[in-house]
């Protein structure tokens, strides 16, 4: 395709440089946004009398045709075009002749690309929020099924105190809830319209920036044209929100990998979400989790790419910024893929409650409660802690647990111990008594679940 900026050049662009310069292979995905932006732009040109109103209508109509033809496959993207903006304008000019050449009046590709990218990313954020919601819904459902499923809670991956599987899952709900808020915030911050910034200094034509901002669904027109064309905060911000959400998915994936190992066997993944080994017939591998964990790396990389791409750029537009798209598109694609695979994988997993309970019995996770028993009987916590530590050591020597150790052994260390110690350190009781806001007691977790259902998940009901 001939270049639209050829005027001042005496030679054709070198073929390799053309390819090097081109972004069509990755920016063509924004064609819907590009055409939508152009239609509103040309309507504004007509309304303002910058071009003839009738002509503006013909251009808008043809842009809509181009949109439909691209959607139906009647028109194919030309890979030799420089970018999607040039491509659409070139097709328009082929179809309308000189009239097509009027579209770019009072506009630059610099404000055009900034506009398209914001519009495209807005739709992506909406999709991501929908997917996070679905994941939260699955986690909440699983939590409801496991309100009383006692398991060990860990610190340093050592059994620490008793919790429930519901409590554990709801921790992730909180993380994904914050991810949703980050996505909403990102949307809000990017929802300002750069169109009309021109190349960098607006234009001398009497454009109406409030009109275009409003018709394209933005809160307002951006207040500085240099910022309008050179701001990529929204890419960095979204890449950051995505990377954090991926880190959350990665941590959950890591736990699932552990949980479905023979060493834990807390859960089993559905066959449809596991893979086998080409050599070891017994294997059932949690590849999905490993891939999510692995792919988190590239989203962190994309954030780094964007931050380092921007950090040295003088105002306003620089071609470096064309590099924004591959990075942010990759993050967007990756998170969508991961969210939509993780949710059904968790939904279909089998939970082995017995194994969780058994793990709970073996790890002295009621030792804190044993010490608390003595504190309630008047001992200072540090003394109670020391006595319980000695009891644990005796249990380890004898191959017992605190639940099986005879009362005589208890009494040897403190006369405060009575038979009711066994009741006090039963795992169910230890969990039930942790009833503070945020605690693992079924009552506390049930309240948390209700809150999530009435807030985060409520809108989804309305949408369906
Ligand atoms: N393909 C370019 C990009 O993605 C569009 C803007 C080009 N502007 C320019 N002054 N060369 O950034």
């Amino acid at each position: 395709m001939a270049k639209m900026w050829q005027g001042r050049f005496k030679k054709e662009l070198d073929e390799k440089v053309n390819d090097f310069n081109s972004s069509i292979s990755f920016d063509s995905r924004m064609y819907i946004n590009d055409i939508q932006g152009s239609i509103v732009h040309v309507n504004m040109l007509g309304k303002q009398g910058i071009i003839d109103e009738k002509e503006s209508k013909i251009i808008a109509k043809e842009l809509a045709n181009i949109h439909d033809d691209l959607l139906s496959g009647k028109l194919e993207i030309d890979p030799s075009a420089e970018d999607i903006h040039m491509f659409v304008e070139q097709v328009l000019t082929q179809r309308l002749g000189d009239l097509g050449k009027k579209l770019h009046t009072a506009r630059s590709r610099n404000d055009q690309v900034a506009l398209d990218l914001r519009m495209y990313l807005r739709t992506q954020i909406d999709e991501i929020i929908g997917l996070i919601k679905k994941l939260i819904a699955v986690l909440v459902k699983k939590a409801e099924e496991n309100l009383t499923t006692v398991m060990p809670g860990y610190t340093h991956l050592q059994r620490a105190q008793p919790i429930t599987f519901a409590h554990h899952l709801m921790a992730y709900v909180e993380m994904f809830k914050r991810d949703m808020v980050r996505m909403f915030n990102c949307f809000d911050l990017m929802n300002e319209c750069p169109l009309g910034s021109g190349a960098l200094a607006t234009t001398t034509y009497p454009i109406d920036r409030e009109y275009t901002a409003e018709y394209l669904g933005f809160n307002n027109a951006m207040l500085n044209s240099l910022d309008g064309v050179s701001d990529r905060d929204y890419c960095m911000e979204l890449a950051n929100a995505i990377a954090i959400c991926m880190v959350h998915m990665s941590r959950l994936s890591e736990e699932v990998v552990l949980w479905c190992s023979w060493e834990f066997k807390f859960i089993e993944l559905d066959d449809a979400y596991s893979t086998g080994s080409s050599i070891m017939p017994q294997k059932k591998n949690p590849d999905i989790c490993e891939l999510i964990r692995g792919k988190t790396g590239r989203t962190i990389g994309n954030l780094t790419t964007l931050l380092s791409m921007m950090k040295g750029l003088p105002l306003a537009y620089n071609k470096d910024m064309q590099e924004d798209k591959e990075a942010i598109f990759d993050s967007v694609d990756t998170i969508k893929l991961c969210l939509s695979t993780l949710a059904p994988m968790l939904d279909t997993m089998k939970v082995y409650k017995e194994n969780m309970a058994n793990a709970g019995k073996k790890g002295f996770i009621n030792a804190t409660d044993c010490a608390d028993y003595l504190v309630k009987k008047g001992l200072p916590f540090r003394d109670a802690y020391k006595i319980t530590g000695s009891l644990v050591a005796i249990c380890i020597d004898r191959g017992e647990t605190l639940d099986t150790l005879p009362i005589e052994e208890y009494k040897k260390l403190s006369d405060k111990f009575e038979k009711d110690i066994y009741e006090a350190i039963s795992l169910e009781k230890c969990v039930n008594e942790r009833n503070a806001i945020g605690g693992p007691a079924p009552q506390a977790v049930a309240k948390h679940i209700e809150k999530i259902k009435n807030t985060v998940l409520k809108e989804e009901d309305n949408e369906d």
Side-chain angles (χ1 to χ4, degrees):
M1 252 187 190
K3 290 276 169 277
M4 308 205 76
W5 39 254
Q6 248 167 358
R8 66 104 80 198
F9 290 86
K10 297 200 177 72
K11 276 187 185 173
E12 289 271 318
L13 189 65
D14 178 271
E15 208 177 308
K16 278 212 179 74
V17 175
N18 185 55
D19 292 347
F20 184 67
N21 205 36
S22 163
S23 54
I24 189 106
S25 62
F26 48 86
D27 67 16
S28 59
R29 64 162 81 192
M30 303 191 299
Y31 78 88
I32 294 178
N33 318 98
D34 189 75
I35 293 173
Q36 207 189 342
S38 288
I39 290 176
V40 173
H41 173 69
V42 82
N43 286 343
M44 183 276 293
L45 293 180
K47 177 184 87 74
Q48 295 296 94
I50 297 170
I51 67 170
D52 179 80
E53 198 156 16
K54 269 193 235 117
E55 290 186 334
S56 82
K57 289 204 170 109
I58 299 171
I59 296 174
K61 176 95 203 358
E62 200 48 52
L63 283 167
N65 290 340
I66 294 174
H67 168 271
D68 293 349
D69 292 349
L70 281 170
L71 203 63
S72 69
K74 210 167 125 189
L75 173 65
E76 274 178 29
I77 304 270
D78 175 0
S80 73
E82 190 175 322
D83 55 31
I84 188 61
H85 327 291
M86 291 295 205
F87 171 73
V88 172
E89 201 184 325
Q90 271 156 356
V91 174
L92 186 75
T93 307
Q94 277 160 13
R95 292 185 179 189
L96 295 182
D98 282 351
L99 196 51
K101 297 181 191 161
K102 294 194 178 181
L103 169 66
H104 211 51
T105 314
R107 186 177 72 171
S108 155
R109 264 188 306 158
N110 296 352
D111 55 348
Q112 191 177 355
V113 71
L115 172 71
D116 293 3
L117 193 51
R118 280 171 195 259
M119 286 169 64
Y120 176 78
L121 293 179
R122 282 192 313 198
T123 64
Q124 297 308 303
I125 293 178
D126 276 343
E127 278 185 39
I128 293 169
I129 289 173
L131 290 171
I132 299 178
K133 241 191 221 178
K134 283 203 176 116
L135 177 59
I136 291 179
V138 168
L139 289 167
V140 164
K141 180 179 143 206
K142 288 280 152 190
E144 277 183 310
E145 292 166 8
N146 288 284
L147 271 180
T148 56
T149 308
V150 174
M151 69 180 274
Y154 297 81
T155 61
H156 314 270
L157 204 57
Q158 300 287 320
R159 292 169 188 167
Q161 288 183 345
I163 58 167
T164 66
F165 193 44
H167 188 233
H168 199 117
L169 294 176
M170 291 304 287
Y172 284 100
V173 167
E174 283 299 294
M175 296 179 225
F176 293 124
K177 192 179 85 184
R178 286 194 295 274
D179 290 327
M180 270 177 76
V181 174
R182 261 184 285 275
M183 294 292 165
F184 280 120
N185 288 346
C186 241
F187 189 109
D188 266 2
L189 269 174
M190 78 164 66
N191 205 21
E192 294 191 308
C193 189
L195 188 62
S197 297
L200 72 160
T202 69
T203 172
T204 53
Y205 294 100
I207 54 173
D208 183 348
R209 293 196 60 204
E210 277 164 351
Y211 171 94
T212 44
E214 193 188 325
Y215 274 84
L216 291 168
F218 288 96
N219 293 335
N220 53 275
M222 291 181 76
L223 292 181
N224 181 289
S225 61
L226 292 175
D227 184 48
V229 289
S230 63
D231 169 41
R232 293 293 182 275
D233 288 3
Y234 56 99
C235 295
M236 296 184 273
E237 225 136 29
L238 180 57
N240 177 58
I242 289 175
I244 295 177
C245 184
M246 285 294 301
V247 166
H248 294 152
M249 278 196 272
S250 183
R251 293 183 74 180
L252 178 52
S253 297
E254 167 62 15
E255 301 217 79
V256 172
V257 170
L258 289 173
W259 290 339
C260 61
S261 70
W262 282 105
E263 282 66 19
F264 279 79
K265 263 292 165 252
F266 285 0
I267 60 155
E268 184 171 345
L269 295 179
D270 192 83
D271 282 358
Y273 291 92
S274 321
T275 50
S277 152
S278 59
I279 173 169
M280 297 165 281
Q282 83 283 12
K283 291 293 284 289
K284 187 169 173 185
N285 296 330
D287 284 24
I288 291 178
C289 305
E290 294 162 57
L291 275 173
I292 292 174
R293 206 173 53 188
K295 283 176 189 292
T296 300
R298 64 202 281 166
T299 63
I300 295 168
N302 291 333
L303 173 61
T304 309
T305 297
L306 289 164
L307 291 168
S308 35
M309 183 265 284
M310 287 303 289
K311 81 183 221 337
L313 296 188
L315 300 185
Y317 178 84
N318 300 271
K319 188 79 170 195
D320 314 45
M321 284 150 82
Q322 178 165 289
E323 291 283 311
D324 56 4
K325 283 165 224 57
E326 283 162 296
I328 192 64
F329 292 166
D330 182 69
S331 282
V332 161
D333 293 346
T334 303
I335 193 173
K336 283 183 1 189
L337 199 62
C338 293
L339 284 166
S340 50
T341 316
L342 183 60
M345 186 199 79
L346 295 174
D347 200 16
T348 52
M349 74 183 172
K350 222 188 287 160
V351 178
Y352 292 129
K353 303 186 183 193
E354 272 295 301
N355 294 348
M356 290 191 186
N358 286 336
K361 282 176 196 146
K362 286 182 203 138
F364 298 101
I365 59 180
N366 45 7
T368 317
D369 301 83
C370 179
D372 287 342
Y373 170 93
L374 293 174
V375 170
K376 280 174 200 155
K377 297 214 166 181
L379 248 64
F381 180 75
R382 273 292 153 235
D383 294 342
Y385 173 99
K386 207 166 162 198
I387 292 169
T388 309
S390 309
L391 283 168
V392 168
I394 293 167
C395 284
I396 292 170
D397 278 352
R398 294 171 53 125
E400 307 247 22
T401 67
L402 288 173
D403 310 73
T404 60
L405 191 71
I407 189 70
E408 299 75 50
E409 293 296 327
Y410 276 97
K411 284 188 179 291
K412 276 186 204 162
L413 289 182
S414 167
D415 56 7
K416 302 252 189 263
F417 282 119
E418 302 293 344
K419 279 221 149 128
D420 61 353
I421 177 63
Y422 299 108
E423 158 74 14
I425 59 168
S426 92
L427 292 188
E428 280 70 26
K429 190 166 160 65
C430 297
V431 166
N432 290 344
E433 302 236 307
R434 288 179 160 77
N435 202 10
I437 294 173
Q443 244 188 338
V445 176
K447 271 191 205 154
H448 183 193
I449 289 176
E450 268 319 292
K451 197 161 197 173
I452 296 294
K453 281 181 156 179
N454 289 328
T455 51
V456 181
L457 297 179
K458 195 158 189 156
E459 292 152 60
E460 198 169 45
D461 296 344
N462 296 341
E463 271 164 27
D464 292 341

